[in-house]
């Protein structure tokens, strides 16, 4: 069997991290088996689908380096790859079902269906469509259509249990009493998800469907459709859900709840993680371990190693926990270990998205920033935040730092002396600066910390920076002297 997998997102929002994991699992399985990975956009929900969401999903998949073999922007023999462009295809198979008596038209209004649901609720029963459309005669159907009555089309479910064979969960039986005739064509003439996905998977030659366990309840409907259309069923693998550490579902609503409480919203979509300064290698390595294990205690893996080790049999049944602290540790690891060229590329991509002052850095400056901050930054956002003082004209001063190091311990007087010393340095190098400041400390009988910390506050606004000599060289002589003067004036104002 030539393996074909697919990822088929609905463009009703940005790419959720759970969707990214589904895409990754499908991509890895296809690569492991020298198969094909298809991207299909399921945009039949006309009220919620948008071109912007489609564009963002494609961008996020590219950022993750999950490139597809067939799909949007690439094409392929089974296109088009947008469901909204495949309506004639669906109509052909819909007519096949209608002609064979395997599907039927239903003319109930939304109000009538709502009343039936309410009646079932009052009687303490679960609602199930009663199949009234099947009892309409051809003449009645023709009359209702002549009146212009809108209708939906439902699949006539078989009168038997449906068994879903699943690589991960084993055989899952769905009793016939729990299954109802479901809608496959909406009143707007667009297919439902269930109908379109079955037709597309068959025509695109999909052999394996790897998706979240939330779709398990849909699978008996899909198998019933496959049987009615004479399609072979693909192999199913329903992967465990992803939950927060407290056991709650990792939902986009988490962001809304946090915003209402005035809290910083958690990252949920891939784009959130991009803006927060996570890098794709770390994110992929982390999410591949959500429900899958390579065996042993192994955690850090390259994408090639993931491909080599990946198998459906090592996917577990139990829900996965999204440990943000662990992801942060993964991200820090990759920042520290990626080669400089790759890290530069990622930083430039990040600042293009977020507009940090770091965007003005030259290539040489960026190399130095990486050298200085690689050991301490856990995210690219932290790196950009910590280094922004190099690239802006006016910095913000921490009031506590000013009081402690510029007003007290003769900090302002130290800055006056240092400004004169540094002004006279012609060769602005680490060694020249170190020699002059060491000579000053010896002459004044001062420990170096009594000199370095006021300088650090003066040039950064805070008490934290990389080694002071490297920092001064990267900042440059003109900016250094200007900030020393500004800090002295600030200290004078606070002394008054």
């Amino acid at each position: 069997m030539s393996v074909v997998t697919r990822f088929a997102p609905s463009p009703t929002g940005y790419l959720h991290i759970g969707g990214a994991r589904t895409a990754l699992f499908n991509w890895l399985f296809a690569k492991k088996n020298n198969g094909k990975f298809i991207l299909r956009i399921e945009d039949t929900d006309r009220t919620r689908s948008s071109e912007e969401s489609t564009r963002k999903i494609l961008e996020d998949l590219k950022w993750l380096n999950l490139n597809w073999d067939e799909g949007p922007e690439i094409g392929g023999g089974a296109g088009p790859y947008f469901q909204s462009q495949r309506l004639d295809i669906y109509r052909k198979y819909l007519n096949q079902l209608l002609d064979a008596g395997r599907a039927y038209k239903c003319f109930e209004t939304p109000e009538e269906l709502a009343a039936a649901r309410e009646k079932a609720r009052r009687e303490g029963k679960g609602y199930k469509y009663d199949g009234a459309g099947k009892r309409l005669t051809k003449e009645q159907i023709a009359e209702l259509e002549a009146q212009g009555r809108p209708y939906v089309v439902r699949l006539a479910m078989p009168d038997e249990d449906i068994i879903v064979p699943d690589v991960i969960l084993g055989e899952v039986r769905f009793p016939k009493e729990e299954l109802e005739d479901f809608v496959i064509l909406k009143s707007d003439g667009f297919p439902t998800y269930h109908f379109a996905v079955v037709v597309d998977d068959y025509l695109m030659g999909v052999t394996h469907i790897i998706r979240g366990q939330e779709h398990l309840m849909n699978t008996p409907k899909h198998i019933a459709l496959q049987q009615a259309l004479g399609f072979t069923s693909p192999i199913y693998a329903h992967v465990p859900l992803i939950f927060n550490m407290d056991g709650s579902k990792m939902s986009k609503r988490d962001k809304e709840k946090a915003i209402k409480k005035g809290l910083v919203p958690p990252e949920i979509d891939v784009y959130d993680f991009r803006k927060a300064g996570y890098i794709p290698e770390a994110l992929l390595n982390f999410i591949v371990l959500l429900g899958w294990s390579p065996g042993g205690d192994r955690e850090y893996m390259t994408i090639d190693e993931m491909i080599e080790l990946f198998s459906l049999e090592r996917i577990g049944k139990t829900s996965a926990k999204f440990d943000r602290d662990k992801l942060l540790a993964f991200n820090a690891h990759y920042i520290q270990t990626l080669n400089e060229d790759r890290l530069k590329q990622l930083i430039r991509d990040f600042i293009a998205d977020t507009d940090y002052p770091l965007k003005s850095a030259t290539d040489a400056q960026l190399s130095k920033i990486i050298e200085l901050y690689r050991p301490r930054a856990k995210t690219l956002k932290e790196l950009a935040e910590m280094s922004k003082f190099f690239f802006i004209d006016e910095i913000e001063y921490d009031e506590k730092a000013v009081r402690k190091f510029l007003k007290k311990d003769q900090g302002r007087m130290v800055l006056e002396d240092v400004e004169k010393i540094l002004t006279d340095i012609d060769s602005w190098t680490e060694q020249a600066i170190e020699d002059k400041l060491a000579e000053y400390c010896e002459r004044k009988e001062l420990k170096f910390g009594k000199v370095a910390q006021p300088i650090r506050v003066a040039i950064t606004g805070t008490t934290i920076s990389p080694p002071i000599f490297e920092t001064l060289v990267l900042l440059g002589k003109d900016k250094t002297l200007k900030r020393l003067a500004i800090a002295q004036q600030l200290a004078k104002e606070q002394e008054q």
Side-chain angles (χ1 to χ4, degrees):
M1 179 189 295
S2 179
V3 168
V4 179
T5 65
R6 51 78 166 169
F7 178 55
S10 298
T12 57
Y14 287 9
L15 179 61
H16 187 276
I17 194 67
R21 184 194 61 169
T22 297
L24 174 61
F25 281 8
N26 280 278
W27 187 90
L28 288 172
F29 190 70
K31 296 298 179 186
K32 173 67 178 286
N33 292 280
N34 297 312
K36 185 192 301 180
F37 173 64
I38 295 174
L39 176 63
R40 184 176 69 232
I41 304 298
E42 300 191 338
D43 58 345
T44 57
D45 187 336
R46 295 197 292 172
T47 59
R48 298 175 61 216
S49 296
S50 72
E51 290 184 10
E52 180 191 3
S53 293
T54 299
R55 179 173 56 82
K56 281 296 184 184
I57 289 170
L58 299 185
E59 286 179 4
D60 287 341
L61 288 172
K62 291 175 185 175
W63 179 75
L64 290 168
N65 293 310
L66 298 180
N67 299 309
W68 48 99
D69 300 302
E70 290 185 15
E73 302 180 352
I74 293 177
Y81 295 91
F82 288 83
Q83 287 187 333
S84 60
Q85 299 171 13
R86 298 172 61 84
L87 300 185
D88 289 344
I89 297 172
Y90 305 135
R91 177 61 63 176
K92 170 188 171 183
Y93 288 98
L94 180 78
N95 289 335
Q96 177 181 322
L97 291 172
L98 288 169
D99 292 344
R102 303 299 297 267
Y104 58 95
K105 297 175 181 178
C106 303
F107 294 85
E108 291 89 355
T109 65
E111 293 76 18
E112 289 170 336
L113 291 172
R117 291 191 185 92
E118 176 60 23
K119 181 175 181 292
R121 187 193 65 79
R122 289 198 307 269
E123 295 173 354
K125 301 176 181 178
Y127 173 74
K128 183 178 177 180
Y129 181 67
D130 63 5
K134 284 190 285 193
R135 297 190 288 274
L136 294 174
T137 64
K138 290 183 179 180
E139 292 74 20
Q140 289 173 316
I141 292 172
E143 183 179 346
L144 289 168
E145 288 182 317
Q147 294 172 6
R149 285 279 293 272
Y151 65 86
V152 300
V153 176
R154 292 178 182 266
L155 181 76
M157 290 291 279
D159 187 27
E160 59 186 23
D161 296 351
I162 292 182
I163 296 174
V164 176
D166 189 276
V167 174
I168 298 168
L169 302 174
E171 287 193 349
V172 184
R173 179 180 292 272
F174 291 85
K176 61 182 181 181
E177 295 80 17
E178 297 177 4
L179 304 173
E180 69 169 343
D181 295 352
F182 61 96
V183 176
I184 59 175
L185 185 77
K186 295 177 285 188
S187 59
D188 63 2
F190 273 65
T192 61
Y193 156 75
H194 304 295
F195 185 48
V197 75
V198 166
V199 172
D200 289 345
D201 285 339
Y202 176 74
L203 294 181
M204 294 180 183
V206 174
T207 60
H208 293 74
I209 294 179
I210 307 167
R211 60 189 183 189
Q213 285 181 12
E214 68 270 24
H215 287 286
L216 180 61
M217 297 303 293
N218 296 327
T219 310
K221 298 177 181 179
H222 300 172
I223 289 178
L225 263 169
Q226 290 154 4
Q227 292 172 347
L229 288 165
F231 295 168
T232 54
S233 294
I235 295 169
Y236 286 99
H238 289 91
V239 302
L241 301 177
I242 301 174
F243 287 93
N244 293 311
M245 293 301 288
D246 63 3
S248 62
K249 188 175 181 181
M250 194 174 176
S251 166
K252 294 186 179 185
R253 295 188 184 91
D254 292 348
K255 290 195 286 187
E256 299 169 8
K257 292 176 184 176
I259 292 170
K260 286 180 180 178
K261 293 179 180 179
L263 303 174
V264 177
E267 300 89 2
I268 300 294
D269 300 318
V270 170
Y271 188 63
D272 298 334
F273 290 96
R274 288 177 62 182
K275 288 194 300 181
Y278 288 86
I279 60 179
E281 285 88 343
L283 199 57
L284 287 173
N285 194 163
F286 176 76
I287 64 175
V288 79
L289 297 172
L290 297 177
W292 173 78
S293 170
D297 297 326
R298 188 168 190 167
E299 288 193 321
Y300 294 120
M301 292 170 283
T302 66
I303 196 69
D304 288 337
E305 289 169 333
M306 292 182 213
I307 293 171
E308 180 184 350
L309 296 167
F310 190 79
S311 70
L312 298 179
E313 289 71 26
R314 297 202 68 90
I315 297 176
K317 298 180 181 180
T318 57
S319 300
K321 294 289 184 70
F322 197 95
D323 186 340
R324 293 177 181 273
D325 291 336
K326 186 173 182 178
L327 172 58
L328 198 60
F330 269 57
N331 209 61
H333 168 81
Y334 277 94
I335 287 176
Q336 291 164 17
T337 57
L338 281 177
N339 71 63
E340 184 179 308
D341 287 341
R342 174 59 177 157
L343 194 52
K344 276 184 181 178
Q345 177 190 340
L346 290 168
I347 292 170
R348 293 202 182 281
D349 290 345
F350 171 73
I351 57 182
D353 272 345
T354 53
D355 204 34
Y356 272 96
L358 188 57
K359 68 182 179 182
S360 65
T362 65
D363 193 67
Q365 287 174 324
L366 194 53
S367 292
K368 192 63 179 179
I369 290 294
I370 289 172
E371 178 188 332
L372 294 176
Y373 289 102
R374 186 199 286 266
R376 64 186 71 194
K378 293 181 179 179
T379 66
L380 299 183
K381 184 175 182 178
E382 285 185 3
L383 183 147
E385 284 282 355
M386 289 190 290
S387 64
K388 68 181 181 182
F389 73 89
F390 285 109
F391 305 100
I392 56 179
D393 293 327
E394 296 183 7
I395 59 174
E396 294 181 11
Y397 286 90
D398 179 88
E399 291 184 7
K400 287 184 179 180
V402 170
R403 284 197 301 270
K404 183 173 182 180
F405 294 104
L406 301 191
K407 285 178 61 179
K408 297 179 180 179
D409 298 326
Q410 296 183 315
R412 180 170 62 82
M413 296 179 67
V414 167
L415 292 185
E416 288 180 5
D417 293 340
V418 167
E419 183 184 4
K420 293 173 185 175
I421 292 169
L422 297 183
T423 299
D424 293 336
I425 295 178
D426 294 324
S427 177
W428 193 254
T429 65
E430 294 173 26
Q431 191 62 55
I433 296 169
E434 183 177 358
D435 290 345
K436 288 291 185 182
L437 292 181
E439 180 185 305
Y440 171 72
C441 289
E442 184 177 353
R443 177 162 40 90
K444 291 287 187 177
E445 297 183 347
L446 291 172
K447 291 184 177 180
F448 185 68
K450 294 290 185 180
V451 176
Q453 206 63 342
I455 297 174
R456 183 170 280 113
V457 173
I459 64 173
T460 71
T462 71
T463 58
I464 301 170
S465 81
I468 193 67
F469 306 122
E470 294 175 275
T471 299
L472 291 175
V473 170
L474 183 57
L475 184 62
K477 184 175 181 178
D478 290 344
K479 276 189 176 180
T480 296
L481 296 177
K482 181 179 179 181
R483 289 184 188 180
L484 289 173
I486 291 172
Q488 292 171 58
Q489 183 59 37
L490 182 63
K492 284 180 182 178
E493 292 171 358
Q494 293 207 358
E495 288 172 0
Q496 295 173 356

